Amino acid sequence: MPPLTGLAFLPHLRDLGIAYALAFIIGWNREKEDRSAGLRTFPLVAVAACGFIQATEGLTQGEPEAAARIIEGVITGMGFIGGGAILKHGGEVHGTATAASLWATGAIGVAVALTAYDVAIVICGFTAVTLYIMAHLKSRERG
């Protein structure tokens, strides 16, 4: 492992900041809608997903199969986190949008770590727009 020299950590810091900022947008919506996961959870998920990819870059360099295994592990972990957000009360199921949003947020973190910023921005945009539109449609149905 190469020693930490100069400002070599700045690209990692930049990417972690981008992942955090994009996830914050989604977390803001979930917080505003008073959901079980919000401003604390979503940025942490994106930063962790991004961090797992960054932390293993030295191990996976030149080995796409190894990188794929790390990404698969992040995806699996996101499934467990998302599963924890889903609750069943009687015949009703709650939390599926939050679980799907958490999964999307993990994808944002992975995309940023792989420097696929365009993909991360599009996932964030689609997720935020979907949550915003659906919240307004549901409130119209009730009112």
Side-chain angles (χ1 to χ4, degrees):
M1 175 176 290
L4 185 61
T5 58
L7 302 176
F9 67 93
L10 286 181
H12 292 279
L13 185 60
R14 175 203 60 215
D15 289 349
L16 291 165
I18 291 169
Y20 184 96
L22 291 172
F24 190 87
I25 295 167
I26 298 166
W28 181 265
N29 172 275
R30 299 285 76 197
E31 189 83 23
K32 189 177 70 167
E33 295 294 324
D34 199 29
R35 301 302 179 198
S36 60
L39 284 175
R40 293 179 298 174
T41 307
F42 283 86
L44 290 174
V45 164
V47 167
C50 185
F52 278 120
I53 306 303
Q54 290 179 338
T56 59
E57 284 174 345
L59 296 173
T60 62
Q61 201 167 30
E63 296 186 44
E65 298 85 13
R69 286 192 299 275
I70 301 299
I71 294 167
E72 288 170 7
V74 171
I75 293 168
T76 300
M78 292 312 310
F80 282 105
I81 291 171
I86 299 173
L87 303 170
K88 184 176 178 188
H89 296 285
E92 293 184 23
V93 176
H94 299 278
T96 53
T98 298
S101 301
L102 285 164
W103 201 38
T105 301
I108 289 168
V110 169
V112 169
L114 297 173
T115 66
Y117 304 116
D118 54 340
V119 173
I121 291 167
V122 169
I123 293 169
C124 176
F126 282 161
T127 303
V129 167
T130 299
L131 292 171
Y132 178 79
I133 289 172
M134 295 314 295
H136 286 296
L137 289 176
K138 285 181 107 176
S139 68
R140 283 187 181 180
E141 284 179 7
R142 293 181 197 140

Coordinates of all heavy atoms in Angstrom, one line a residue, residues 8-21 50 54 57 112-115 117:
A8 N -2.8 13.4 -2.2 CA -3.3 12.3 -3.0 C -4.7 11.9 -2.6 O -5.5 11.3 -3.3 CB -2.4 11.1 -2.8
F9 N -5.1 12.3 -1.4 CA -6.4 12.0 -0.9 C -7.5 12.9 -1.4 O -8.7 12.6 -1.2 CB -6.5 12.0 0.7 CG -6.3 13.4 1.2 CD1 -7.4 14.2 1.5 CD2 -5.0 13.9 1.4 CE1 -7.2 15.5 2.0 CE2 -4.8 15.2 1.9 CZ -6.0 16.0 2.2
L10 N -7.2 14.0 -2.0 CA -8.2 15.0 -2.5 C -9.2 14.4 -3.5 O -10.4 14.7 -3.3 CB -7.5 16.2 -3.1 CG -6.9 17.1 -2.0 CD1 -6.3 18.4 -2.7 CD2 -7.9 17.6 -1.0
P11 N -8.9 13.6 -4.4 CA -9.9 13.0 -5.3 C -10.9 12.2 -4.5 O -12.1 12.2 -4.8 CB -9.2 12.2 -6.3 CG -7.8 12.8 -6.3 CD -7.5 13.3 -4.9
H12 N -10.4 11.5 -3.5 CA -11.3 10.7 -2.6 C -12.3 11.6 -1.8 O -13.5 11.3 -1.7 CB -10.5 9.7 -1.7 CG -9.8 8.7 -2.4 ND1 -10.4 7.5 -2.8 CD2 -8.5 8.6 -2.8 CE1 -9.6 6.8 -3.4 NE2 -8.4 7.4 -3.4
L13 N -11.7 12.6 -1.3 CA -12.5 13.6 -0.5 C -13.5 14.2 -1.4 O -14.7 14.4 -1.0 CB -11.6 14.6 0.1 CG -12.2 15.6 1.0 CD1 -12.9 14.9 2.2 CD2 -11.2 16.6 1.6
R14 N -13.1 14.6 -2.6 CA -14.1 15.2 -3.6 C -15.3 14.2 -3.8 O -16.4 14.6 -3.8 CB -13.4 15.5 -4.9 CG -14.3 16.0 -6.0 CD -13.7 15.8 -7.4 NE -13.5 14.4 -7.6 CZ -12.4 13.9 -8.4 NH1 -11.6 14.8 -8.9 NH2 -12.3 12.6 -8.6
D15 N -14.9 13.0 -4.1 CA -16.0 12.0 -4.5 C -16.9 11.7 -3.3 O -18.1 11.6 -3.4 CB -15.3 10.7 -5.0 CG -14.8 10.9 -6.4 OD1 -15.0 12.0 -7.0 OD2 -14.0 10.0 -6.9
L16 N -16.3 11.6 -2.1 CA -17.1 11.4 -0.9 C -18.1 12.6 -0.7 O -19.2 12.4 -0.3 CB -16.3 11.2 0.3 CG -15.5 9.8 0.3 CD1 -14.4 9.9 1.4 CD2 -16.4 8.7 0.5
G17 N -17.6 13.8 -1.0 CA -18.4 15.0 -0.8 C -19.5 15.0 -1.9 O -20.7 15.4 -1.6
I18 N -19.2 14.6 -3.1 CA -20.3 14.5 -4.1 C -21.3 13.5 -3.8 O -22.5 13.7 -3.9 CB -19.6 14.2 -5.5 CG1 -18.8 15.4 -6.0 CG2 -20.7 13.8 -6.5 CD1 -17.9 15.1 -7.2
A19 N -20.9 12.3 -3.3 CA -21.9 11.3 -2.9 C -22.7 11.8 -1.8 O -23.9 11.6 -1.8 CB -21.1 10.0 -2.5
Y20 N -22.1 12.4 -0.8 CA -22.8 13.0 0.3 C -23.9 14.0 -0.1 O -25.0 14.0 0.3 CB -21.9 13.7 1.3 CG -22.5 14.2 2.6 CD1 -22.5 13.4 3.7 CD2 -23.1 15.4 2.6 CE1 -23.1 13.9 4.9 CE2 -23.7 15.9 3.8 CZ -23.7 15.1 4.9 OH -24.3 15.6 6.0
A21 N -23.5 14.9 -1.0 CA -24.4 16.0 -1.4 C -25.6 15.4 -2.2 O -26.7 15.9 -2.0 CB -23.6 17.0 -2.3
C50 N -19.6 4.6 -1.5 CA -18.4 5.2 -2.2 C -17.1 4.8 -1.5 O -16.2 4.4 -2.2 CB -18.6 6.7 -2.2 SG -17.4 7.6 -3.1
Q54 N -13.7 3.0 -2.9 CA -12.4 3.7 -2.8 C -11.4 2.9 -2.0 O -10.2 2.8 -2.4 CB -12.6 5.1 -2.2 CG -13.4 6.0 -3.1 CD -13.6 7.4 -2.4 OE1 -13.5 7.5 -1.2 NE2 -13.8 8.4 -3.2
E57 N -9.7 0.1 -3.9 CA -9.1 0.4 -5.3 C -7.7 -0.3 -5.4 O -7.4 -0.9 -6.5 CB -8.9 1.9 -5.5 CG -10.2 2.6 -5.8 CD -10.1 4.1 -5.8 OE1 -9.0 4.6 -5.4 OE2 -11.0 4.7 -6.3
V112 N -20.4 7.3 -8.1 CA -19.5 8.4 -7.8 C -18.1 7.8 -7.6 O -17.1 8.3 -8.2 CB -19.9 9.2 -6.6 CG1 -18.8 10.1 -6.2 CG2 -21.2 10.0 -6.9
A113 N -18.0 6.7 -6.9 CA -16.7 6.1 -6.7 C -16.0 5.6 -8.0 O -14.8 5.6 -8.1 CB -16.8 4.9 -5.7
L114 N -16.8 5.2 -8.9 CA -16.3 4.8 -10.2 C -16.2 5.9 -11.2 O -16.0 5.7 -12.4 CB -17.3 3.7 -10.8 CG -17.4 2.4 -9.9 CD1 -18.4 1.5 -10.5 CD2 -16.0 1.7 -9.9
T115 N -16.4 7.1 -10.7 CA -16.3 8.4 -11.5 C -17.3 8.4 -12.6 O -17.2 9.1 -13.6 CB -14.9 8.7 -12.0 OG1 -14.5 7.7 -13.0 CG2 -13.9 8.8 -10.9
Y117 N -20.1 10.1 -12.7 CA -20.8 11.2 -12.1 C -22.2 11.4 -12.8 O -23.2 11.7 -12.2 CB -20.0 12.5 -12.1 CG -18.7 12.4 -11.5 CD1 -17.5 12.6 -12.2 CD2 -18.6 12.1 -10.1 CE1 -16.3 12.4 -11.6 CE2 -17.3 12.0 -9.5 CZ -16.2 12.2 -10.2 OH -15.0 12.0 -9.6

